[in-house]
Structures are given as C-alpha cells and as structure tokens.
Amino acid sequence: ALQYYEKARDWYKSVGDETTAKGLEAAMDNVKSKRDGRKETPFIDGNLKESIRANYERCVREKGENSAATLQAGINLAQALQKSGIHGLECERLTNKLAIISRRVLGPGHDMTLQIENGLNFCRKRRVGMMTDDGVKQYQALRFDEEERKYVVNGPISDPRTPDEEEIM
C-alpha cells in the first residue's frame, strides 16, 4: 500500500497539488503506524489537518457533497479531527453529516457507509485524552462550558469501565 501512496503523492506534487500530497502523507503515516504495531497515529499536526480540511472543502466545491471522492475526503478530515484530540464535537458533526449523505447516495450496506457509521459510533463515545501525572488518561466529554471555555468531562475511563471510580471534572 505504501508504494501506491508514494507514487500518488509524488504525482500530486508534480502537478502542484500540495494539499492532496499532504493528505496522502497522512495516509502513509497511518499505514506505517499499523505496520509497526501501533494502533494509529496519536496526533495530527495542525498544518496537515488544515490541508486535509482544504482538500475536503475543494472536493465539496468542485465535485459536490454527494461524490464518493468528497465522502472519502470527509472521512480523511474526520479522522484528522479525531486524532487532533481537540476537535471531537466537530468530528462528530461532520461524521453525522457524511453518514446521512452516504446512506442516501451509496446505500446503507456500502463499504464506505459502514466505515463512516463505524467512525460515527466511535465519535459518539466522546472520548478525550487529558494529560495527568500518570500520562494521558481517557475521559468522556459531557458538554462544553461556554463561560469557562472548557469541556466538562467524566473519568478517567478505565477498560473495562468502572463508573464508581469516575468523577465529573
């Protein structure tokens, strides 16, 4: 898979499409992470996330929301938002929008629809990572406090969950 991503990236760079080239580099990073036994790349660089966003917006403008290419670009953006660690609600809203479009355009059993719905189920858990003295711990975002400009969270969440040991912060 890496060699195909590399060829595609190089071609996009040769025609001056840096946005798509950076998106392919993100895909290559994910493949390398999985190959090396890591579940996924933990965080996505802000510039890369914005280039993936620009690619999605370009697809929407040029191909329309209903195209398979736009849906794939939307999946890439949703994954980047989720991996950024700070855009969980935006990721959930985008993924919900993509799921509605994909069900309508491709059908409920299509592989892309199933992939999007899988991502939506993950987003709905609203897991966020917070740095603690013991490293990064998982919490569940309950809501965003506009006045305080921060999330109200429940946790830390252990696996399997032990709600008696979780607290709202």
Side-chain angles (χ1 to χ4, degrees), residues 76-165:
N76 294 343
L77 176 57
Q79 290 172 340
L81 292 169
Q82 185 271 322
K83 289 177 184 178
S84 74
I86 57 173
H87 295 284
L89 294 176
E90 182 182 0
C91 176
E92 183 178 351
R93 289 180 185 125
L94 173 62
T95 307
N96 191 50
K97 176 182 173 181
L98 295 172
I100 291 167
I101 293 168
S102 188
R103 272 188 235 109
R104 180 174 38 84
V105 174
L106 302 174
H110 192 278
D111 286 347
M112 192 176 292
T113 303
L114 297 173
Q115 179 184 6
I116 292 168
E117 288 180 348
N118 233 6
L120 182 57
N121 289 333
F122 182 83
C123 287
R124 286 183 175 151
K125 293 178 183 177
R126 294 189 175 179
R127 296 280 174 97
V128 294
M130 288 179 52
M131 185 58 79
T132 68
D133 292 338
D134 299 327
V136 177
K137 299 279 187 179
Q138 292 291 310
Y139 291 78
Q140 181 182 24
L142 301 176
R143 66 181 179 283
F144 186 75
D145 186 326
E146 289 290 340
E147 199 171 289
E148 296 283 328
R149 303 288 307 148
K150 61 183 180 181
Y151 285 100
V152 176
V153 298
N154 185 42
I157 297 170
S158 57
D159 198 19
R161 263 185 108 160
T162 52
D164 294 341
E165 296 175 10

Side-chain angles (χ1 to χ4, degrees), residues 20-83:
T20 303
K22 285 187 178 191
L24 287 165
E25 286 173 3
M28 289 166 49
D29 287 343
N30 283 336
V31 169
K32 289 175 187 174
S33 291
K34 289 177 183 173
R35 176 196 66 197
D36 296 341
R38 296 185 310 264
K39 189 173 179 184
E40 60 187 71
T41 307
F43 296 102
I44 291 236
D45 170 272
N47 293 332
L48 178 57
K49 181 182 69 219
E50 290 312 312
S51 71
I52 294 169
R53 182 188 308 277
N55 184 53
Y56 171 68
E57 290 169 354
R58 181 179 54 81
C59 283
V60 169
R61 267 193 325 276
E62 294 176 5
K63 301 174 195 267
E65 286 187 329
N66 296 335
S67 84
T70 301
L71 288 169
Q72 186 59 57
I75 290 169
N76 294 343
L77 176 57
Q79 290 172 340
L81 292 169
Q82 185 271 322
K83 289 177 184 178

